[in-house]
Amino acid sequence: MLSPKQVVCRWVDAFNSGDVESITALYHEDAVNHQVANDPVKGAAAIRQMFADEFAAAKMVCIVENIFEDGQWAVLEWRDPLGLRGCGFFQVINGRILFQRGYWDKLSFLRQHGLPVE
């Protein structure tokens, strides 16, 4: 079974490839993904749709700065080529993500990618 750190490494690979199916497969069916700039997304089907929409809207790249592991948790500190920085907390149970919370500056992201500011 994969450790939390190994799951997050696979998550980064799938994210950087824009691979909706591979990234979704890393989540439990009843997982929650809460990017604090947005409302929580609940369930693998909704998480799949979230990634499909996001990957279609912008080319995103996650450059790993650090990954820390403690018990069921992995913490990812990241940056992207445009200068955005953030971090994500992943609770991994039985090799799959049950809960994820991410912190990043949504306004900066929207402006960097030329997307409408809400």
Side-chain angles (χ1 to χ4, degrees), residues 49-87:
Q49 188 61 53
M50 176 194 74
F51 282 116
D53 293 344
E54 289 178 354
F55 293 157
K59 172 62 178 155
M60 298 177 288
V61 176
C62 176
I63 300 167
V64 174
E65 296 217 325
N66 289 295
I67 300 178
F68 304 98
E69 181 178 283
D70 184 19
Q72 298 177 339
W73 290 87
V75 180
L76 167 65
E77 181 185 19
W78 58 266
R79 65 182 171 86
D80 76 3
L82 302 176
L84 189 67
R85 292 182 174 277
C87 62

Side-chain angles (χ1 to χ4, degrees), residues 15-62:
F15 183 89
N16 286 340
S17 298
D19 187 338
V20 173
E21 298 310 320
S22 291
I23 205 166
T24 304
L26 296 170
Y27 289 86
H28 281 270
E29 279 302 311
D30 56 349
V32 174
N33 183 320
H34 185 198
Q35 302 304 302
V36 297
N38 303 316
D39 291 331
V41 177
K42 299 176 182 175
I47 290 169
R48 183 195 181 289
Q49 188 61 53
M50 176 194 74
F51 282 116
D53 293 344
E54 289 178 354
F55 293 157
K59 172 62 178 155
M60 298 177 288
V61 176
C62 176

